[in-house]
Amino acid sequence: MKRIIFDTDPGIDDAMALLFLGSSSSVFISSLTTIMGNASTEQCTRNALFLRKIYGLKMPVHKGSSTSINGQTPSKYPDLVHGKNGLADIVLTEERSLPDPGTAHSVMSSTAKKHPNDLTVLAVGQLTNVALAILKDKSFSGNLKEIVFMGGTINEPGNVTPWAEANIWGDPEAAEIIFKSGIPLTMVGLDVTMKTRITKTFLRTITSKLGKLGRFLQNINTFYADYYAKSMNLDSFPIHDSLAAMFVTNPDFFVTKKGILSVKKNGEERGRTLFEENQQGPHSVCLDVNADKVLTEYEKLVTNHY
Ligand code: RIB
Ligand code: CA
């Protein structure tokens, strides 16, 4: 069983990824850590606490940074994609629990120290918390086993600008710290997530088996599906973050290449990820995926578990 910290900005596709991880017997989620992106860090933390409750999960939730590495806070969030509250503006039943003590980056450090070479950070939001762990604890890079992150793109167009994917665009300075850290990492970006889309019909085959939880998931994903239909004329929608989760459990579904990743920090291409292929390179990038296998596995695990 893989020990992971799930660093997330929930977020509709984040909610679907957590549903999958919570259904899998091959991962142990040691903590949820939160970050801004689909909404503010405060709102994403409330959403993580809410999801933990409705999924029946028990791990601690630690709030992450409210600013990116260069001290900035976003002036707006992607309300049209995820709703103002990050979860399709569905009124979340009163969530009274508070996040657990300890910041996201300090918990990443202490967990990696306690379990050297046995912790994967699965990051599906901007990379600020992981970068802070690297900057503030010199032993962190050596203690961590690997980072798997949803973000970036090599061959697909960006989804925030023509070049940049949202999680990297949100904090390119953090991405650069991670790329230069020497920590083994795998990028699961738009090159595979845009190839793995689900239809409302497929969604219903899952949600119809999940009772009240299924109705919540159907509602949030209908909002998200409608955005992709209106903005991109698509009759299916990408389950971005579930791909990174699936890479942790089923890496054999993916085609990866080794090389060196870098990120543009200046000008109109800010947030663009660049990849130089090199067999000896420290980074792996997912360039293709067996989407059918991913979707079959997703449906099987979630419907068996809930
Ligand atoms: O570009 C897609 C990514 O941005 C996903 O992680 C989504 O949840 C948002 O964070
Ligand atoms: Ca996300």
Side-chain angles (χ1 to χ4, degrees), residues 9 13-14 38 124-125 241:
D9 60 335
D13 61 314
D14 303 66
N38 293 321
V124 297
D241 294 345

Side-chain angles (χ1 to χ4, degrees), residues 25-26 43 90 153 180 225 234 236 257:
S25 53
S26 47
Q43 182 62 46
I90 290 195
T153 185
K180 291 187 168 168
L234 288 176
S236 55
K257 286 260 159 71

Side-chain angles (χ1 to χ4, degrees), residues 3 11 20 29 64-65 68 71 78 87 106 150 177 200-201 208 222 224 236 241 287 289 295 297-298 302:
R3 181 188 310 277
F20 172 75
I29 313 171
S65 180
S68 52
L87 290 175
S106 65
M150 190 281 135
I177 289 165
K200 282 186 183 172
T201 312
S208 61
T222 299
Y224 187 67
S236 55
D241 294 345
L287 290 174
V289 60
L295 297 184
E297 182 71 7
Y298 188 97
V302 167

Side-chain angles (χ1 to χ4, degrees), residues 9 25 62 128 172 188 190-191 193 242 245 247:
D9 60 335
S25 53
H62 301 278
T128 316
V188 186
L190 299 179
D191 301 290
T193 69
S242 293
F247 183 83

Side-chain angles (χ1 to χ4, degrees), residues 9-14 36-38 78 82 123-126 150-152 159-160 165-168 190 193 224 228 240-241:
D9 60 335
I12 295 166
D13 61 314
D14 303 66
M36 74 199 100
N38 293 321
H82 294 270
V124 297
Q126 63 183 63
M150 190 281 135
N159 59 2
V160 181
E165 179 281 332
N167 289 341
I168 302 298
L190 299 179
T193 69
Y224 187 67
Y228 278 96
H240 297 295
D241 294 345

Side-chain angles (χ1 to χ4, degrees), residues 148 185-189 192 247 250-259 275 277-279 283-289:
V148 175
L185 63 84
T186 302
M187 170 174 138
V188 186
V192 290
F247 183 83
N250 297 78
D252 46 315
F253 293 171
F254 295 80
V255 176
T256 58
K257 286 260 159 71
K258 285 222 160 260
F275 181 55
E277 219 180 302
N278 177 337
Q279 279 301 322
H283 305 140
S284 289
V285 172
C286 293
L287 290 174
D288 206 356
V289 60

